[in-house]
Amino acid sequence: MKYNEIGKTGMRVSNLGFGASSLGGVFHSIREEEGIRAVHVAVDNGINFIDVSPYYGHLKAETVLGKALKEIPRDKYYLSTKVGRSGKDGVNTWDYSAKRAVESVYESMERLNVDYIDLINVHDIEFQAGMEGGLQKIVDETLPALYTLKEKGVVGHVGITDLQLENLKWVVEQSNHSQLTNHHSPVESILNFCHYCLNDTRLADFLGFFEQQGVGVINASPLSMGLLSSRGTPDWHPAPKDLKDACSKAAAFCQQQGYPIEKLAIQFSTSLNPRIATTLFSSANPANVLKNIEYVNEPMDEQLVEEVQRIIGDQLYVTWKNT
């Protein structure tokens, strides 16, 4: 396992991080005891960065993770959770107000059985983009509220997450500009998902900007939420059918080579760009957690990477040509 610093935070984290969304049954139902063991296996084998959110499983992921963390020394891991997006009793909620952000942090700490959060993120800022105040509210209200908690020692560092890279870039620019005001709340890290994996490397186009701004980069979902897996995507996956078909064809090819596409995808996302501090994967299965850690520690077949990317590209081109 390699360790990299997240921006200028001082947090040196494993290049493979544990995303706890699976503990909330986001992808499929889980057995709680297995999920707890999965966390232990991750930490026992060198993973020291754990990411979660009250949104995952509508509080369930934090609750299950909290049971696991009760049994793990606090100095063995860095913990990241989020504010802004949540849910309860099957109903999704979004609230990026200062009041709710602060309340959410304390509620998360109670579920997680900790008295300190290393990294607090504003979750999926794209939803605030479509609400009153837009993304400017993140800059003027949400981030400053989290910085008050940083000043109190409740949280260590403050970041933002989103699928849309342009949103992340805009908020970083605006929050850094706020140094000229009394609301100095710079973004210390960003978390982006599905944009640094075998079928999509768009995050790479933004790495220079984030590095220049002193912002750490966290990548997530090296399997592209199931696109790059032999199991395939869950029903809710937003990818178009042609992309699903292309990735399915690539997965079948990898299977023929005796090299699971999951292995190649994990290796690709964790090994090629040192400006990405860590890549988050999620599994509530202890055996799969150990398998992914082993993947990271093995050399990657770079020729297979080229072949898989060609298969995906060729399939998408044929589909586009026939439309």
Side-chain angles (χ1 to χ4, degrees):
M1 194 74 70
K2 296 177 182 176
Y3 296 84
N4 310 299
E5 184 177 359
I6 300 178
K8 297 180 179 179
T9 64
M11 293 190 291
R12 289 189 61 80
V13 299
S14 48
N15 65 330
L16 185 66
F18 184 83
S21 59
S22 286
L23 301 183
V26 171
F27 298 99
H28 50 82
S29 60
I30 69 156
R31 286 174 40 213
E32 188 173 295
E33 320 81 60
E34 266 204 347
I36 291 170
R37 270 195 296 123
V39 179
H40 282 269
V41 168
V43 175
D44 289 346
N45 287 277
I47 289 179
N48 72 343
F49 185 73
I50 302 172
D51 175 80
V52 70
S53 166
Y55 173 68
Y56 302 147
H58 288 185
L59 313 181
K60 181 179 178 181
E62 283 193 333
T63 302
V64 175
L65 178 59
K67 293 178 181 179
L69 296 182
K70 263 186 177 180
E71 305 164 348
I72 301 174
R74 187 62 180 87
D75 61 356
K76 294 290 185 182
Y77 61 89
Y78 292 108
L79 179 62
S80 163
T81 192
K82 307 178 181 76
V83 303
R85 188 178 188 188
S86 189
K88 191 175 182 181
D89 300 326
V91 179
N92 294 327
T93 60
W94 295 269
D95 188 341
Y96 296 86
S97 66
K99 179 177 182 293
R100 183 61 199 137
V102 171
E103 290 172 349
S104 181
V105 170
Y106 285 104
E107 290 168 6
S108 287
M109 288 195 299
E110 186 172 351
R111 282 189 293 271
L112 291 163
N113 291 304
V114 296
D115 57 9
Y116 175 82
I117 292 171
D118 299 283
L119 174 62
I120 190 70
N121 293 289
V122 188
H123 194 180
D124 286 352
I125 58 175
E126 66 190 80
F127 290 98
Q128 176 54 41
M131 296 162 64
E132 184 179 353
L135 287 177
Q136 192 65 46
K137 183 171 182 175
I138 303 294
V139 177
D140 293 342
E141 186 171 341
T142 323
L143 288 170
L146 297 178
Y147 259 80
T148 63
L149 296 181
K150 180 176 179 177
E151 290 164 1
K152 292 178 181 178
V154 176
V155 303
H157 305 281
V158 178
I160 55 177
T161 87
D162 203 0
L163 174 64
Q164 299 180 43
L165 287 154
E166 292 81 5
N167 288 342
L168 296 170
K169 182 175 185 288
W170 190 90
V171 170
V172 166
E173 288 175 327
Q174 297 302 311
S175 64
N176 282 354
H177 179 69
S178 71
Q179 294 179 43
L180 303 176
T181 74
N182 292 327
H183 301 290
H184 181 201
S185 308
V187 173
E188 296 178 86
S189 70
I190 65 98
L191 188 160
N192 181 248
F193 54 101
C194 295
H195 284 143
Y196 197 80
C197 45
L198 279 170
N199 64 297
D200 186 335
T201 58
R202 191 159 178 263
L203 175 58
D205 297 336
F206 290 76
L207 292 177
F209 167 79
F210 292 129
E211 185 175 50
Q212 188 178 47
Q213 298 292 321
V215 175
V217 175
I218 299 167
N219 177 41
S221 199
L223 305 187
S224 200
M225 299 192 297
L227 273 177
L228 302 169
S229 70
S230 52
R231 173 183 291 185
T233 57
D235 292 340
W236 51 259
H237 199 289
K241 183 178 184 301
D242 57 347
L243 180 55
K244 290 181 179 179
D245 290 345
C247 290
S248 179
K249 189 174 181 179
F253 177 77
C254 287
Q255 197 66 36
Q256 291 168 6
Q257 311 308 307
Y259 202 114
I261 195 168
E262 293 90 344
K263 177 178 181 177
L264 193 67
I266 291 280
Q267 291 176 327
F268 178 85
S269 293
T270 57
S271 66
L272 293 182
N273 207 311
R275 290 191 288 187
I276 296 173
T278 186
T279 291
L280 301 171
F281 79 100
S282 189
S283 177
N285 182 319
N288 284 343
V289 171
L290 190 57
K291 190 188 301 180
N292 287 336
I293 293 171
E294 290 170 350
Y295 289 164
V296 170
N297 293 324
E298 294 177 19
M300 181 176 68
D301 186 334
E302 296 188 21
Q303 183 179 343
L304 186 57
V305 169
E306 293 178 10
E307 292 171 341
V308 163
Q309 291 181 325
R310 177 185 55 76
I311 289 169
I312 293 173
D314 287 352
Q315 178 69 29
L316 291 176
Y317 175 75
V318 168
T319 303
W320 169 80
K321 191 176 179 181
N322 293 332
T323 57

